């Protein structure tokens, strides 16, 4: 898991509301944010893609390495964007528990079954992936 980056992927139609939330949080974000970018992504059908099944707007954040200061800001941002359909990037910094992250990916259960059938001993898992798969 990246300690210094987060990404949240929302339905493209939620972009105006997401921008409003981020503007409201701007003063709290500024001290711990290094850089941010926004991009749109076409829908796809890939199992672990944050754009799976929907036209997407992605909000990327590179944070300072002061995790204890970043997490409260990130947690508030996620809490406010989750009702808009936000999917956190499954491999980056988030305050959401693994089951919340994976529930936002419609095909994650299929991926889990495949991963467990192909790697039953967990040879290719680290603690982070094991937590996502629910095998830790």
């Amino acid at each position: 898991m990246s300690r210094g980056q987060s990404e949240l992927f929302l339905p493209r139609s939620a972009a105006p509301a997401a921008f409003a939330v981020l503007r409201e949080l701007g003063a709290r974000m500024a001290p711990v944010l290094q850089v941010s970018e926004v991009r749109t992504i076409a829908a796809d059908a890939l199992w672990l893609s944050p754009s799976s099944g929907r036209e997407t707007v992605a909000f990327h954040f590179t944070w300072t390495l002061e995790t204890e200061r970043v997490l409260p800001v990130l947690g508030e941002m996620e809490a406010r964007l989750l009702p808009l359909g936000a999917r956190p990037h499954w491999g980056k910094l988030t305050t959401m528990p693994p089951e919340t992250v994976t529930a936002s990916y419609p095909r994650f259960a299929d991926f889990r079954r495949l991963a467990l059938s192909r790697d039953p001993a967990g040879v290719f898992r680290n603690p982070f992936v094991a937590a996502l798969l629910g095998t830790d």
Side-chain angles (χ1 to χ4, degrees), residues 9 21 23 27 34-36 54 71 87-88 96 103 125 127:
F9 300 80
V21 166
R23 271 193 297 278
Q34 291 184 357
V35 68
S36 181
R54 65 185 190 188
L71 291 178
R87 283 181 188 153
M96 296 182 204
R125 285 181 230 145

Side-chain angles (χ1 to χ4, degrees), residues 43-127:
D44 61 44
L46 303 173
W47 288 6
L48 296 184
S49 168
S51 301
S52 183
R54 65 185 190 188
E55 299 295 310
T56 299
V57 59
F59 295 91
H60 171 90
F61 306 93
T62 298
W63 305 105
T64 64
L65 295 179
E66 304 166 282
T67 305
E68 69 285 346
R69 292 181 61 211
V70 170
L71 291 178
V73 175
L74 178 57
E76 184 175 347
M77 178 192 312
E78 289 174 332
R80 296 191 53 197
L81 294 177
L82 194 61
L84 300 176
R87 283 181 188 153
H89 189 294
W90 60 268
K92 296 192 177 184
L93 184 64
T94 182
T95 64
M96 296 182 204
E99 57 275 7
T100 301
V101 173
T102 59
S104 68
Y105 289 81
R107 299 293 305 268
F108 196 85
D110 295 321
F111 172 74
R112 182 180 188 280
R113 279 191 294 279
L114 179 64
L116 295 177
S117 73
R118 297 294 182 196
D119 183 24
V123 174
F124 295 103
R125 285 181 230 145
N126 61 23

